[in-house]
Amino acid sequence: MEPSADSSASPFTPLVVLELVSDTKEEAITWLLSRIRDPQQTGGAGLLVEKLGPGVGGEEKENPNLFLVGASRERLLSGAEDVGLFKEYSDGSMRGFTCANKHNFKDFKGDGDSFLSMAECQYIIKHELDTLRAKDETHVPGYSHAKLYPGKSIVRRLLSKGILIQIFPLHHKEELKRLSFSWYKKVKLSLQPLDDIRHYYGEGQALYFGFLEYFTFALVPMALFGVPYYLFDWEDYDKYVVFAVFNVIWCTIILELWKRFSASLAYHWGTLSRKKAFEEPRPGFHGILGFNPVTGREEPLYPNTKRQLRIYLVSLPFVLLCLYLSLYVMMIYFQMEGWALSINDQDPTFWTGVLIYIPSIIYAVVIEAMNLIYRYAAEFLTEWENHRLESSYQNHLVLKVLVFNFFNCFASLFYIAFVMQDMVLLRQSLATLLITSQILNQIMEAFLPYWLQRRRNKKMIRKVQKRRTLGDKELPLEEQVRLEADMSTYLGTFDDYLELFLLFGYVSLFSCVYPLSAVLVVLNNVTEVYSDAFKMCQVFKRPFADPAANIGVWQLAFETMSVIAVVTNCALIGMSPQVKAYFPDSDTQLILWIVAVEHGLLAFKFILTFLIPDVPKHIQIKLSRLEFESLEALKKKKMLEASEPRKDIQ
Amino acid sequence: MEPSADSSASPFTPLVVLELVSDTKEEAITWLLSRIRDPQQTGGAGLLVEKLGPGVGGEEKENPNLFLVGASRERLLSGAEDVGLFKEYSDGSMRGFTCANKHNFKDFKGDGDSFLSMAECQYIIKHELDTLRAKDETHVPGYSHAKLYPGKSIVRRLLSKGILIQIFPLHHKEELKRLSFSWYKKVKLSLQPLDDIRHYYGEGQALYFGFLEYFTFALVPMALFGVPYYLFDWEDYDKYVVFAVFNVIWCTIILELWKRFSASLAYHWGTLSRKKAFEEPRPGFHGILGFNPVTGREEPLYPNTKRQLRIYLVSLPFVLLCLYLSLYVMMIYFQMEGWALSINDQDPTFWTGVLIYIPSIIYAVVIEAMNLIYRYAAEFLTEWENHRLESSYQNHLVLKVLVFNFFNCFASLFYIAFVMQDMVLLRQSLATLLITSQILNQIMEAFLPYWLQRRRNKKMIRKVQKRRTLGDKELPLEEQVRLEADMSTYLGTFDDYLELFLLFGYVSLFSCVYPLSAVLVVLNNVTEVYSDAFKMCQVFKRPFADPAANIGVWQLAFETMSVIAVVTNCALIGMSPQVKAYFPDSDTQLILWIVAVEHGLLAFKFILTFLIPDVPKHIQIKLSRLEFESLEALKKKKMLEASEPRKDIQ
């Protein structure tokens, strides 16, 4: 293996961009670059790094401190082993890549130039930069307030002190063009190119689009079931019992099947059995310097009890208060609506007819505003809870936002359904909520970004036109990098999943009273695929690949929703006149029966999760074969070692 | 390492006994012994084996084919590595034992003679015997019907063909005496010597006794709470609401805490992070010879669909039929009781007074008989389902037996509580059931085995006395082995756990109406410890150690029971006059409130299982430190390998 430091002068493919603040001190830059270039044996990252030349415009406000990071082929392969990448082996199974064994991997040809995808290379570089640790430096040169201690991740300290503005992977123009063509540019009946999406964006993104597609297909039977229902039984409220029963079974089964589908995707992408690396503390984490009991390294520690206190004594009461507030706003809405209705009833004119809609509109706007404000508050609180790991931060944030959003969106529907018991109003509210939120979403997600992007592109093209280099149409690298650095940052799949979660809620909770909702959600999802794909390809910076094996905490969220759906649908069944007719004498009997059925269904659901294995059989076999082979290899190795001394004697 | 075949002539400590049928063909014996003695390099087990000499009696009916198996110290240590034994490392953490690293383990002194406990040595020998595989033999020599194929476990084939009668580990007289003294022979207030039990019987046994003890202590608060309740509120049925609420919280929390306690026991015993070895097919498993997709070895395969058909089309309907039958018997019992009561009411004499108790007695006997018959049927059916693995067989058997036993024991109580709504009768029935079953159990478990053992011991002593060798009181090895071979075989912890499961049911489901039940169960458990300990030490053959990390499927069973307990207690609360008084006007309101509270409690229970980590923090830290270190070591090794070629160049 050639020492990677040697090849730093040779031309390389830029993969990742580091943007430092424009007034970074020269000594800090020199130090950082040399630490990145130093070979691994001396504690460096062993990567290649170059400063980006000035842009075509050469304007003064342009940031000169953009650096391109790449790596030699050998460095990338050894990095792939570091991060524990799984690749397809010659026998068709997925195995952890090792350099020693590289020629036995299926796609390893020649010297392995195209073995790793660009997204994988970028992930490797990010990992190597993240684990580039301080040695005996006490602070970043030139910045005495940016403290360092042995073992501290340099990049994370630079990020937390604001010296490093951002670090992002570059797009690949050709690949992106190909991907976007097969993904959303042609009108087609085929599925999304999930493997290509995974190849370009990584597993986390691909799983989201896979889930979106799966969810849409899962809704098709319900939509098909719903349309005739809607057309012929529109006014016959009694008939929803069949639909509610269908709902209960549907939402249980699709989530179980998704787990299997997701496991088989993750297996083929090599993330299913991949071990998670030890997570670094998040950049914002702070505490008193001590020794980490796991790694033995010196790092900030923050007592868990203190965090628990913050969670239970501040965050929890705050969330409850917000829920109460949301409830309060809801009650005001119902009062306003009652008042508007009474005015309209007393003396109906054109203006009172308009007045009826005013409370709904105000309430919808208030809900959106509350969601937004609450989101900021939740982010602030979760940050303040000072979680050590990004994953733990994310889980706490998701939980907070989820509970509030659920409450905010569904509380009024529950109130109408079970307190007011007004099925007509329930259907109207559901339809209004669903249609309004979908229209708003489409505008926010598709139209707005498109418009913003067009404006930004025009500006850049105008700038380049000034230099009259537009002849070959391709932007020079300097401009391309600066263009991408200006693009918005993709903040992860959080909001996309949240939207799906709420749609899943509308469909599974109340679709029996408004059978058309599945059709609406299907339509929404189809356009969602296109707008999300467009966003990913055209609006946002390329995100780093996220080697996810499943949709994580969202699986739990959807499953919780499906339990709530069982309870809700059973209650709706119990309230239907059709069922009530069977128990003309006694409400008590009816309720007891409904409760018994509901408990039976919940037990059945629970048993079903046990009976349906989470991983399909053929993948389970492959996984245990791998495990068996490694055990056998270990045994053989041991046997050889044991027999060696005897050879010496002979 | 010296080749183990050389030392077969030297004296050794016998650890395990193989008993072949008395008319085994000589060629089969010779072949088996040589396969056991052959060194591992040539495919043998590399163990030491000797034939047991004739007994003192020298009677003709004595089986001559008893063989003692042992192993050299080195063989045992390398076997410990094979089975993946975890031992305490010099830094206090638990690590997988490796021979290369042996001197870094805490208790490894000198040449490691006392490093492995006898139970561990016996477990290793059993593992090595189980994995002694046929090479190119097509059948056992002399037995053309005992087919073999490459890779088939020889011992399992001999067992399934009845050539090998049994294989069991020997007791250690001295250790056993010490253990039994500290365990049950002295009256004491201290805890059970769990570490010693684990040392002598292995982790599975120790976890059972640990659970028994934990369960007893967990019941103490309930017992303390129950006594004054019983004494002062005996006739005030209304007061049981507080007790029911206490029950709901109690049964949720103790199971969560047990998981943590069990994890910390398993960690210190080295079974928590130990990987399971690949399970061999059970001896009774049959099928058409094919290639196992996991191991690639030739072995019998049985299509899973066929097994599923047998389970769902035969076993499941059979179980349902049995449940129906049990229900039917229960209804007959209630009819008989009603009839007996009516006769007594019409014309009460002494004989009609006696008549009242007749149905209960008949019902109790019928229940016991049904449980017994059903148990045989369940074993037969599960055998017929032809499960490949012992663990899967056990799970299906446990499930079948559990459901029926639960139904059989509790159906009448549920019927009395919720259909007849007669709390006085419920309390009487509960008390009768609990007390009767405990008395029966103590007789069956303590008195009967003691009596049988005394008779057996006497016989053996008489036999030895004939030869007048009783002077030194110690039996010679030949007699001791034969005595142990005659002892009953311990059939595992199944029945012990089942008994605890039913007791847990009585306490958690209905103790609010009969607060004394916790006291009764505590008393029962205390005597249970003594009688079980006595059984283990004196009545049964020593069982092989079972390296369990938890109580397995029973944890799930107890948790399911605790969910049922929440539902039951909520229903009981709803039926109490005290609560009914709050809703004088409407039963509907009351039921809705109770259902809401019950759902809240179930949700709370669910959240609690998430919030309380299954493994205590300090053990989690130790586990992840180990994982981290092994990752670091791998990285270091890789770095060294990478730098080696450069040295060659220099």
Side-chain angles (χ1 to χ4, degrees):
Chain A
M1 191 187 281
E2 48 177 352
S4 29
D6 291 358
S7 43
S8 62
S10 64
F12 70 98
T13 325
L15 290 166
V16 172
V17 178
L18 292 176
E19 183 176 7
L20 299 175
V21 285
S22 55
D23 58 349
T24 313
K25 295 196 178 124
E26 206 49 52
E27 53 199 299
I29 295 180
T30 320
W31 167 77
L32 177 64
L33 295 191
S34 79
R35 286 305 312 275
I36 293 178
R37 282 186 191 129
D38 277 352
Q40 283 182 283
Q41 284 84 352
T42 60
L47 301 174
L48 312 175
V49 59
E50 255 178 25
K51 188 165 182 167
L52 185 74
V56 186
E59 290 152 57
E60 271 174 35
K61 62 173 185 174
E62 207 167 54
N63 184 355
N65 287 328
L66 283 163
F67 297 89
L68 301 175
V69 186
S72 69
R73 195 192 320 113
E74 288 80 12
R75 182 70 191 84
L76 286 173
L77 289 178
S78 91
E81 194 175 336
D82 286 349
V83 300
L85 217 62
F86 268 63
K87 285 291 213 174
E88 194 173 356
Y89 205 64
S90 50
D91 66 352
S93 65
M94 303 298 301
R95 298 187 183 208
F97 175 76
T98 57
C99 290
N101 215 0
K102 58 187 176 189
H103 291 290
N104 289 325
F105 283 84
K106 202 180 163 196
D107 297 320
F108 199 93
K109 274 155 200 137
D111 46 12
D113 230 355
S114 60
F115 180 63
L116 298 172
S117 74
M118 189 173 170
E120 280 165 348
C121 292
Q122 289 167 334
Y123 177 75
I124 290 165
I125 287 186
K126 172 153 191 285
H127 174 262
E128 300 296 341
L129 285 176
D130 271 350
T131 54
L132 175 62
R133 297 175 192 290
K135 289 189 289 190
D136 43 10
E137 299 96 336
T138 54
H139 57 85
V140 176
Y143 294 87
S144 56
H145 67 284
K147 294 262 185 302
L148 288 173
Y149 44 85
K152 172 70 190 175
S153 160
I154 291 172
V155 167
R156 286 181 179 240
R157 170 58 81 230
L158 292 175
L159 271 174
S160 70
K161 288 294 169 189
I163 303 168
L164 180 61
I165 300 174
Q166 61 176 344
I167 161 171
F168 65 91
L170 281 172
H171 270 298
H172 187 286
K173 279 275 141 192
E174 277 308 304
E175 264 189 59
L176 187 63
K177 212 172 268 173
R178 240 175 298 140
L179 175 66
S180 54
F181 182 75
S182 68
W183 196 0
Y184 68 92
K185 282 208 174 150
K186 56 175 184 191
V187 176
K188 35 117 216 204
L189 281 165
S190 60
L191 302 176
Q192 293 175 84
L194 284 187
D195 285 326
D196 295 340
I197 300 170
R198 176 247 165 182
H199 193 260
Y200 195 82
Y201 287 108
E203 292 77 18
Q205 282 301 320
L207 274 175
Y208 164 69
F209 283 101
F211 183 67
L212 176 56
E213 188 170 282
Y214 173 85
F215 180 43
T216 311
F217 276 102
L219 278 171
V220 168
M222 195 189 260
L224 290 180
F225 196 50
V227 171
Y229 231 86
Y230 177 78
L231 291 179
F232 303 119
D233 281 325
W234 174 234
E235 290 303 322
D236 190 356
Y237 308 125
D238 299 6
K239 295 287 165 60
Y240 68 67
V241 173
V242 185
F243 210 87
V245 172
F246 175 84
N247 261 2
V248 166
I249 300 167
W250 175 83
C251 67
T252 303
I253 289 176
I254 63 151
L255 288 176
E256 279 308 306
L257 293 185
W258 163 253
K259 250 191 274 179
R260 289 167 69 87
F261 181 55
S262 130
S264 90
L265 283 179
Y267 176 77
H268 289 294
W269 295 342
T271 49
L272 188 62
S273 42
R274 180 170 170 186
K275 284 208 185 82
K276 280 223 174 125
F278 277 90
E279 268 186 278
E280 293 287 312
R282 29 189 327 258
F285 176 68
H286 55 86
I288 301 157
L289 222 56
F291 289 94
N292 182 320
V294 173
T295 61
R297 286 188 196 134
E298 208 176 6
E299 68 169 45
L301 296 180
Y302 188 78
N304 199 33
T305 44
K306 227 165 147 183
R307 185 177 304 125
Q308 298 285 336
L309 282 180
R310 287 185 174 190
I311 292 175
Y312 290 111
L313 295 187
V314 179
S315 297
L316 187 66
F318 175 78
V319 172
L320 292 177
L321 188 78
C322 287
L323 294 182
Y324 176 76
L325 212 75
S326 154
L327 212 63
Y328 195 77
V329 169
M330 187 188 83
M331 297 314 295
I332 292 178
Y333 155 64
F334 281 119
Q335 274 181 8
M336 273 169 62
E337 189 155 271
W339 172 73
L341 275 174
S342 70
I343 287 187
N344 189 41
D345 282 351
Q346 277 171 8
D347 176 22
T349 67
F350 171 74
W351 291 109
T352 57
V354 172
L355 188 69
I356 289 177
Y357 290 95
I358 301 278
S360 297
I361 293 168
I362 295 178
Y363 185 53
V365 171
V366 168
I367 278 189
E368 285 298 312
M370 277 166 68
N371 275 347
L372 209 71
I373 296 169
Y374 178 82
R375 177 69 178 274
Y376 284 109
E379 271 170 22
F380 174 80
L381 269 181
T382 318
E383 185 75 49
W384 177 72
E385 281 164 17
N386 198 13
H387 293 274
R388 189 175 161 266
L389 299 179
E390 185 64 29
S391 59
S392 143
Y393 170 85
Q394 284 296 339
N395 285 347
H396 280 261
L397 183 62
V398 167
L399 187 68
K400 282 196 193 71
V401 174
L402 222 59
V403 168
F404 186 77
N405 270 271
F406 177 83
F407 208 79
N408 227 358
C409 291
F410 295 113
S412 63
L413 295 178
F414 277 108
Y415 188 83
I416 296 172
F418 299 118
V419 181
M420 296 166 71
Q421 306 209 350
D422 185 342
M423 290 300 140
V424 184
L425 184 60
L426 178 61
R427 190 157 66 194
Q428 280 171 6
S429 298
L430 183 65
T432 318
L433 259 169
L434 205 56
I435 294 172
T436 322
S437 77
Q438 282 183 13
I439 291 174
L440 273 172
N441 255 316
Q442 292 303 330
I443 292 176
M444 299 278 281
E445 287 198 13
F447 183 72
L448 206 70
Y450 179 71
W451 179 71
L452 283 173
Q453 189 53 26
R454 265 191 55 160
R455 226 182 49 165
R456 199 182 287 124
N457 274 359
K458 267 190 193 150
K459 213 174 76 183
M460 184 55 79
I461 288 170
R462 217 178 302 130
K463 211 170 80 179
V464 177
Q465 264 176 334
K466 266 196 275 181
R467 292 255 156 182
R468 284 165 228 123
T469 44
L470 197 73
D472 54 351
K473 269 187 106 182
E474 275 284 305
L475 283 173
L477 181 67
E478 287 78 15
E479 289 307 321
Q480 179 60 33
V481 170
R482 288 201 159 78
L483 184 70
E484 288 186 25
D486 267 356
M487 286 167 107
S488 337
T489 306
Y490 181 66
L491 293 170
T493 45
F494 188 106
D495 289 290
D496 297 322
Y497 277 119
L498 184 62
E499 200 191 324
L500 284 189
F501 175 76
L502 295 177
L503 289 178
F504 180 72
Y506 287 124
V507 170
S508 60
L509 295 176
F510 295 111
S511 67
C512 61
V513 291
Y514 183 54
L516 216 57
S517 52
V519 180
L520 288 175
V521 174
V522 167
L523 288 178
N524 176 73
N525 281 4
V526 171
T527 53
E528 182 86 19
V529 167
Y530 285 91
S531 66
D532 280 355
F534 174 76
K535 262 190 340 192
M536 290 306 302
C537 293
Q538 298 297 334
V539 180
F540 288 123
K541 276 192 209 83
R542 184 174 188 171
F544 278 108
D546 154 30
N550 48 52
I551 61 173
V553 66
W554 291 101
Q555 180 78 38
L556 188 65
F558 279 84
E559 271 165 23
T560 311
M561 181 68 96
S562 83
V563 171
I564 298 174
V566 170
V567 179
T568 310
N569 277 295
C570 284
L572 286 174
I573 291 173
M575 280 162 50
S576 81
Q578 204 182 11
V579 170
K580 274 187 178 159
Y582 282 101
F583 300 91
D585 309 323
S586 133
D587 262 6
T588 316
Q589 279 294 316
L590 166 69
I591 295 175
L592 286 179
W593 266 104
I594 291 292
V595 170
V597 168
E598 184 235 0
H599 278 72
L601 280 173
L602 286 177
F604 178 70
K605 211 171 144 61
F606 180 74
I607 293 170
L608 215 63
T609 34
F610 263 83
L611 284 185
I612 302 179
D614 286 359
V615 177
K617 188 85 184 171
H618 67 279
I619 287 174
Q620 247 168 21
I621 288 178
K622 279 181 181 168
L623 289 178
S624 35
R625 193 200 298 152
L626 210 65
E627 204 182 323
F628 175 77
E629 277 173 21
S630 78
L631 270 180
E632 289 291 295
L634 210 74
K635 222 182 266 175
K636 206 173 272 172
K637 196 178 146 212
K638 218 196 100 197
M639 209 85 106
L640 276 173
E641 280 170 4
S643 62
E644 260 168 28
R646 299 183 69 197
K647 273 182 200 152
D648 293 343
I649 299 167
Q650 283 165 353
Chain B
M1 191 189 282
E2 48 176 354
S4 28
D6 289 359
S7 44
S8 63
S10 65
F12 70 98
T13 325
L15 291 167
V16 171
V17 177
L18 292 176
E19 183 175 5
L20 299 175
V21 284
S22 55
D23 58 350
T24 314
K25 297 200 174 118
E26 206 50 51
E27 53 200 300
I29 295 180
T30 320
W31 167 77
L32 178 64
L33 295 192
S34 80
R35 286 307 310 274
I36 293 177
R37 281 183 192 135
D38 277 351
Q40 283 182 285
Q41 285 82 353
T42 60
L47 301 174
L48 312 175
V49 58
E50 253 179 28
K51 189 167 182 168
L52 185 74
V56 185
E59 290 153 59
E60 271 175 32
K61 61 174 185 173
E62 208 167 52
N63 184 355
N65 287 327
L66 284 163
F67 298 90
L68 302 174
V69 186
S72 69
R73 196 192 321 111
E74 289 80 12
R75 182 70 191 85
L76 287 173
L77 289 178
S78 91
E81 193 175 336
D82 287 348
V83 300
L85 215 63
F86 268 63
K87 285 290 211 174
E88 196 174 356
Y89 204 65
S90 50
D91 65 353
S93 65
M94 304 298 302
R95 297 186 184 209
F97 176 76
T98 56
C99 290
N101 215 2
K102 58 188 176 188
H103 291 290
N104 289 325
F105 283 84
K106 202 179 162 196
D107 298 320
F108 199 93
K109 274 153 201 142
D111 46 12
D113 231 355
S114 59
F115 180 62
L116 299 171
S117 75
M118 190 174 171
E120 281 165 347
C121 293
Q122 289 166 335
Y123 176 74
I124 291 165
I125 287 186
K126 171 149 191 287
H127 175 262
E128 300 294 343
L129 285 176
D130 271 351
T131 53
L132 175 61
R133 297 178 192 288
K135 290 189 289 191
D136 43 10
E137 298 96 335
T138 54
H139 56 86
V140 176
Y143 294 87
S144 56
H145 67 285
K147 294 263 184 302
L148 288 173
Y149 44 85
K152 172 71 189 174
S153 160
I154 291 172
V155 166
R156 289 188 175 234
R157 171 56 81 229
L158 292 175
L159 271 174
S160 71
K161 288 295 169 188
I163 303 168
L164 180 60
I165 299 174
Q166 60 176 344
I167 161 170
F168 65 91
L170 281 172
H171 270 298
H172 188 285
K173 278 277 140 192
E174 277 309 302
E175 265 190 58
L176 187 62
K177 213 172 268 174
R178 241 175 297 139
L179 175 65
S180 54
F181 183 74
S182 68
W183 196 1
Y184 66 91
K185 283 208 173 149
K186 57 174 183 191
V187 176
K188 35 118 217 205
L189 280 167
S190 60
L191 302 175
Q192 293 176 84
L194 283 187
D195 284 326
D196 296 341
I197 299 171
R198 177 248 164 182
H199 193 260
Y200 195 83
Y201 287 108
E203 292 78 17
Q205 281 301 319
L207 274 174
Y208 164 69
F209 283 101
F211 183 68
L212 176 56
E213 188 169 282
Y214 173 84
F215 179 44
T216 312
F217 276 101
L219 278 171
V220 168
M222 194 189 261
L224 290 180
F225 195 51
V227 171
Y229 231 86
Y230 178 77
L231 292 178
F232 304 118
D233 281 324
W234 174 233
E235 291 303 320
D236 190 355
Y237 308 125
D238 298 5
K239 295 289 164 62
Y240 67 67
V241 173
V242 185
F243 209 87
V245 173
F246 176 84
N247 261 1
V248 165
I249 299 167
W250 174 83
C251 67
T252 303
I253 288 177
I254 63 150
L255 288 177
E256 280 307 306
L257 292 185
W258 163 253
K259 251 191 273 180
R260 289 166 69 86
F261 181 56
S262 130
S264 93
L265 283 179
Y267 177 77
H268 289 294
W269 295 341
T271 50
L272 189 62
S273 42
R274 179 169 170 185
K275 285 212 183 79
K276 279 223 175 127
F278 276 90
E279 268 188 278
E280 293 287 312
R282 18 186 342 251
F285 176 69
H286 55 86
I288 300 158
L289 222 56
F291 289 94
N292 182 322
V294 172
T295 61
R297 284 187 197 137
E298 208 177 6
E299 68 169 45
L301 297 180
Y302 188 78
N304 199 32
T305 45
K306 228 166 147 181
R307 185 179 304 124
Q308 298 285 337
L309 283 181
R310 287 184 174 190
I311 293 175
Y312 290 111
L313 296 187
V314 180
S315 297
L316 186 65
F318 175 79
V319 172
L320 292 177
L321 188 77
C322 287
L323 294 182
Y324 177 76
L325 211 76
S326 155
L327 213 63
Y328 195 78
V329 169
M330 188 188 81
M331 296 315 294
I332 292 178
Y333 155 66
F334 281 119
Q335 275 181 8
M336 273 169 64
E337 189 155 271
W339 172 73
L341 276 174
S342 70
I343 286 186
N344 189 41
D345 282 351
Q346 277 172 8
D347 176 23
T349 66
F350 171 75
W351 290 110
T352 57
V354 173
L355 188 70
I356 289 178
Y357 290 95
I358 302 280
S360 297
I361 294 169
I362 294 178
Y363 185 53
V365 172
V366 168
I367 278 189
E368 285 298 312
M370 276 166 70
N371 275 346
L372 210 69
I373 296 170
Y374 178 81
R375 177 70 180 273
Y376 283 110
E379 272 171 20
F380 174 80
L381 270 180
T382 318
E383 185 74 50
W384 178 71
E385 282 163 16
N386 198 14
H387 293 275
R388 189 175 161 266
L389 300 179
E390 185 64 30
S391 60
S392 143
Y393 170 86
Q394 285 295 338
N395 285 349
H396 280 262
L397 183 62
V398 167
L399 188 67
K400 283 195 193 71
V401 175
L402 222 58
V403 169
F404 186 77
N405 270 270
F406 176 82
F407 208 78
N408 227 358
C409 291
F410 296 113
S412 62
L413 295 177
F414 276 110
Y415 188 83
I416 296 171
F418 299 118
V419 180
M420 297 166 71
Q421 306 209 352
D422 185 341
M423 289 300 140
V424 185
L425 185 59
L426 177 60
R427 189 157 66 194
Q428 280 172 6
S429 298
L430 183 64
T432 317
L433 260 169
L434 205 56
I435 294 172
T436 322
S437 77
Q438 282 183 12
I439 291 174
L440 272 172
N441 256 316
Q442 293 302 331
I443 293 177
M444 299 278 283
E445 286 197 13
F447 183 72
L448 206 71
Y450 179 72
W451 179 73
L452 283 174
Q453 188 54 27
R454 265 191 54 162
R455 224 183 51 165
R456 200 182 286 124
N457 274 0
K458 266 190 193 150
K459 212 174 77 184
M460 183 56 79
I461 289 170
R462 216 179 304 129
K463 210 168 83 178
V464 177
Q465 264 176 334
K466 264 197 277 182
R467 291 255 155 183
R468 283 165 229 124
T469 44
L470 197 72
D472 54 351
K473 267 188 108 184
E474 275 283 305
L475 282 172
L477 182 67
E478 287 77 17
E479 289 307 322
Q480 179 59 33
V481 171
R482 288 201 158 77
L483 184 70
E484 287 186 27
D486 268 354
M487 285 167 108
S488 336
T489 306
Y490 182 64
L491 293 170
T493 45
F494 188 105
D495 289 289
D496 297 322
Y497 277 119
L498 184 61
E499 200 191 326
L500 284 189
F501 175 75
L502 295 178
L503 290 177
F504 180 73
Y506 287 123
V507 170
S508 60
L509 294 177
F510 294 111
S511 66
C512 60
V513 291
Y514 183 54
L516 216 57
S517 53
V519 179
L520 288 175
V521 174
V522 167
L523 289 177
N524 175 74
N525 281 4
V526 171
T527 53
E528 182 87 18
V529 167
Y530 285 91
S531 65
D532 280 355
F534 173 76
K535 263 191 338 193
M536 289 306 302
C537 293
Q538 299 295 333
V539 180
F540 289 123
K541 275 191 209 77
R542 184 174 187 171
F544 277 108
D546 154 32
N550 48 52
I551 62 173
V553 65
W554 292 101
Q555 180 78 37
L556 188 65
F558 278 84
E559 270 166 23
T560 310
M561 180 68 97
S562 84
V563 171
I564 299 175
V566 170
V567 180
T568 310
N569 278 294
C570 283
L572 286 174
I573 291 173
M575 280 164 49
S576 80
Q578 204 182 11
V579 170
K580 274 187 178 162
Y582 282 101
F583 300 91
D585 309 323
S586 136
D587 262 7
T588 315
Q589 279 294 317
L590 166 70
I591 296 176
L592 287 179
W593 266 104
I594 291 293
V595 170
V597 167
E598 184 235 358
H599 278 73
L601 280 173
L602 286 178
F604 177 71
K605 211 172 144 62
F606 179 75
I607 292 169
L608 215 63
T609 35
F610 263 83
L611 284 185
I612 303 180
D614 286 358
V615 177
K617 189 86 184 169
H618 66 278
I619 288 175
Q620 248 168 19
I621 288 178
K622 279 182 181 169
L623 288 177
S624 34
R625 192 200 299 151
L626 210 66
E627 205 182 322
F628 175 78
E629 277 174 19
S630 76
L631 270 180
E632 288 292 295
L634 210 74
K635 222 182 265 175
K636 206 173 274 172
K637 198 180 144 211
K638 218 197 101 196
M639 209 85 107
L640 275 175
E641 279 170 6
S643 62
E644 260 169 26
R646 299 182 69 197
K647 274 184 201 150
D648 294 343
I649 297 167
Q650 284 166 350

